[in-house]
Amino acid sequence: MALRSESHARVSRSCGNCRAVKRRCDQRLPHCGQCIRTCEECPGYRDEWDLVFRNQTDHTIKRSKQKRRQREDTSTLPRSYSSNPLSLPELSNSYDAIGVNYFLCNFVTNYRSSSRGYLNYIPADYVIDSQRSPMLVASMAAIGLVTLANTTGQPQLAKHARAKYSEAINQVNVALASPTESIKDSTLMTVISLGLFEHVSDFSSWARHVQGAAALVVARGKSQFSSRASFLMFNQVRADMVAVCMHSGQPFPEDMLATQCTKLLSCVRKNRGQIPWPTLLQQATGLQEELQYIVETLSMQSGYATSRKAGEDPAVFYNERFDVYTNSWAIRVWNNARILQIRTCDSMHYISNQILSADLEPVTRAHIELQRLDTQEIVSKLGKDIISTVPQALGAISSASETGHAVNVSSPTNGSAGYMMTWPLYTAGKSLLMEGEARKWIIQRLQEFGHTAGITLALQLVENIIKIDQCTNRESLI
């Protein structure tokens, strides 16, 4: 395969059904409106990167090799790396090319594994023509290099990664000073991607990047929803902002349409009797019912298959279970919904304890205690559902769209998997309602993300879970 750099005819982004019958496709997410209207199963939209990294004809391969041999005489890229099928001749620095290639393979494309593609909304045009957005390409190089440095134990790459990070930050600051450049897709993409770089630093640094991305989203206004990439970026920033607010306790930006879940958490944290606890419990119960309805709808539109495989590595397959989703985006959507459900259930559990601390009628007390037990069962299930997404996120199994469920646990933790799974696992492990055995498994997984993928944020977050685990162990012994 080779990277296409010549001009091409416009490629249809319609779903498979609409392309087949040549009808107009509204490209809605997660499924085409035409398919929903005709009660068809929408096959989804083609990945433009699959068109970029396509199999070439013998003639094209021969021509590409001839051009490559001519470039090698003057290129600064080592010969061994120039033969890489994803090498980018537009980048003069070999480290830049290594970083961008690693970033594309792990964070954008999914031609090798459906578990990858954390930032799959980045258009191919930005990389084919690296001059179109040099700051985005610089951020790609920075993230690719720092992730590669951490996962392969090559500290010399981290120095180059930091240099590219500084370069991208400077270019972003210039773009933010321009009313026209600041609201471009490429600027928001760069800010989002640079936020990933801060996973190797700490929560505060990452949170500042997320807040900056949220401010950009607000400044872009309603016009940003004109493209699929813009819509996906908005969802990315909103999900990250929810994580920041839930962890830090700060209010959710009203300009971004605050979620009911973050509002509830804020009320529960601040409540000192101003709002009756039974009223808050009623609100939380209603929210949980709404979330359950959303999950049921999601199940009909983008379900997943649960499987078990005996004898596999228990560090990857908890209780031999793994779930198979269509792609990484489906994993993220499901886990984002589970995060909201778990945090809502945590609030319900806390509110129930406040109510039970008062004198109650026996019937009322029995009802509250039964509801609390139901909440605990819900969290236990949700936590195990999140854990069961780990094998596919790590690339240990294939997706539902690929043949069979091949198991490959020999591949190391890739950066994309670590970034994608850190917050869902943290949310599940931090819940007081989570089972001790599952919490210990989560602790080990987050520690591995930190030590093998260099995600410092995971190591910081896991300390909170360890404290909770120690407290629950002491309570169980009393």
Side-chain angles (χ1 to χ4, degrees):
M1 295 186 291
L3 182 67
R4 297 194 306 179
S5 59
E6 62 268 20
S7 299
H8 302 284
R10 186 178 179 85
V11 177
S12 171
R13 290 181 169 82
S14 300
C15 75
N17 290 339
C18 291
R19 290 201 311 273
V21 298
K22 294 182 172 58
R23 70 188 177 198
R24 186 178 182 82
C25 180
D26 59 13
Q27 300 179 34
R28 284 173 54 187
L29 295 174
H31 300 294
C32 160
Q34 295 277 28
C35 294
I36 295 175
R37 181 178 60 81
T38 57
C39 298
E40 298 177 276
E41 182 178 352
C42 183
Y45 309 99
R46 71 169 98 189
D47 186 348
E48 60 183 315
W49 285 99
D50 288 339
L51 303 175
V52 174
F53 298 102
R54 63 184 174 86
N55 289 326
Q56 305 294 309
T57 62
D58 292 341
H59 173 72
T60 304
I61 293 175
K62 181 178 179 181
R63 182 178 60 185
S64 176
K65 289 181 177 180
Q66 290 174 343
K67 290 183 178 181
R68 186 183 297 121
R69 282 194 294 269
Q70 294 173 359
R71 288 196 302 268
E72 285 175 350
D73 294 335
T74 57
S75 174
T76 61
L77 292 178
R79 180 179 295 269
S80 60
Y81 186 76
S82 296
S83 62
N84 188 298
L86 300 180
S87 61
L88 304 173
E90 295 88 349
L91 302 178
S92 59
N93 187 293
S94 61
Y95 285 106
D96 289 2
I98 292 172
V100 171
N101 279 311
Y102 191 85
F103 178 88
L104 294 179
C105 289
N106 287 274
F107 294 92
V108 179
T109 70
N110 60 5
Y111 78 99
R112 287 184 179 179
S113 170
S114 63
S115 66
R116 300 171 189 253
Y118 187 82
L119 300 176
N120 58 2
Y121 46 73
I122 294 180
D125 295 345
Y126 286 124
V127 183
I128 292 175
D129 181 8
S130 60
Q131 297 305 312
R132 181 175 177 181
S133 181
M135 65 179 174
L136 178 58
V137 175
S139 70
M140 292 179 185
I143 300 162
L145 286 171
V146 75
T147 306
L148 187 61
N150 291 328
T151 54
T152 61
Q154 300 184 61
Q156 71 276 14
L157 295 179
K159 177 182 178 181
H160 296 278
R162 179 60 64 177
K164 297 305 296 184
Y165 175 81
S166 298
E167 177 185 326
I169 286 290
N170 291 334
Q171 292 174 341
V172 166
N173 289 334
V174 172
L176 294 178
S178 168
T180 55
E181 293 295 322
S182 62
I183 60 175
K184 285 185 176 180
D185 283 357
S186 56
T187 302
L188 181 56
M189 288 177 191
T190 304
V191 173
I192 292 174
S193 59
L194 288 175
L196 294 185
F197 192 96
E198 294 300 346
H199 277 70
V200 303
S201 300
D202 54 31
F203 172 81
S204 298
S205 300
W206 176 72
R208 283 196 296 270
H209 270 278
V210 174
Q211 292 162 349
L216 278 181
V217 164
V218 173
R220 282 157 59 88
K222 295 181 179 179
S223 60
Q224 66 185 297
F225 301 110
S226 58
S227 69
R228 179 173 180 266
S230 297
F231 182 81
L232 295 177
M233 282 191 293
F234 176 85
N235 283 340
Q236 169 78 55
V237 175
R238 197 163 184 267
D240 288 345
M241 197 65 209
V242 167
V244 169
C245 293
M246 285 183 172
H247 182 66
S248 63
Q250 62 181 279
F252 195 88
E254 290 293 339
D255 291 335
M256 286 189 68
L257 303 175
T259 67
Q260 294 184 53
C261 187
T262 54
K263 284 184 176 180
L264 174 66
L265 290 176
S266 179
C267 287
V268 172
R269 284 194 180 104
K270 297 177 181 178
N271 191 44
R272 296 296 182 270
Q274 306 93 325
I275 305 175
W277 290 111
T279 300
L280 284 176
L281 181 59
Q282 185 178 10
Q283 293 178 7
T285 302
L287 176 56
Q288 178 61 18
E289 291 174 352
E290 290 183 25
L291 290 171
Q292 184 57 36
Y293 174 78
I294 292 173
V295 168
E296 290 172 358
T297 303
L298 180 61
S299 180
M300 290 187 292
Q301 295 182 352
S302 181
Y304 59 91
T306 296
S307 302
R308 293 189 181 275
K309 193 170 186 67
E312 295 299 334
D313 186 356
V316 178
F317 297 84
Y318 180 73
N319 287 344
E320 301 179 341
R321 173 185 164 184
F322 64 93
D323 293 344
V324 185
Y325 297 76
T326 54
N327 50 44
S328 63
W329 187 259
I331 295 175
R332 294 173 63 190
V333 170
W334 273 98
N335 282 345
N336 284 342
R338 289 163 181 149
I339 286 174
L340 296 179
Q341 285 185 290
I342 289 176
R343 294 312 303 269
T344 301
C345 287
D346 285 344
S347 296
M348 293 174 64
H349 184 261
Y350 177 81
I351 296 170
S352 296
N353 287 340
Q354 298 301 313
I355 296 174
L356 291 171
S357 64
D359 292 332
L360 299 172
E361 292 291 334
V363 174
T364 303
R365 178 173 293 276
H367 174 73
I368 298 295
E369 289 179 346
L370 180 60
Q371 188 177 30
R372 189 171 62 168
L373 288 175
D374 290 340
T375 302
Q376 185 171 349
E377 290 181 3
I378 292 173
V379 171
S380 177
K381 178 185 181 302
L382 291 171
K384 292 174 182 177
D385 288 344
I386 288 175
I387 289 174
S388 297
T389 65
V390 169
Q392 185 175 354
L394 293 177
I397 61 171
S398 305
S399 74
S401 61
E402 296 169 306
T403 304
H405 301 318
V407 177
N408 175 24
V409 296
S410 60
S411 57
T413 301
N414 64 72
S416 181
Y419 296 129
M420 181 168 65
M421 293 305 304
T422 293
W423 278 107
L425 288 174
Y426 170 71
T427 302
K430 186 174 181 289
S431 175
L432 295 174
L433 304 178
M434 196 64 190
E435 297 175 5
E437 181 184 356
R439 183 184 291 115
K440 287 180 171 56
W441 189 94
I442 290 173
I443 290 173
Q444 294 174 353
R445 176 52 60 188
L446 289 176
Q447 288 174 333
E448 182 179 348
F449 287 169
H451 295 308
T452 64
I455 303 177
T456 305
L457 178 61
L459 293 178
Q460 290 181 329
L461 295 176
V462 79
E463 289 301 318
N464 293 331
I465 304 179
I466 292 174
K467 292 177 182 178
I468 292 173
D469 188 60
Q470 292 172 343
C471 290
T472 54
N473 287 339
R474 284 197 294 267
E475 291 175 358
S476 64
L477 293 175
I478 298 175

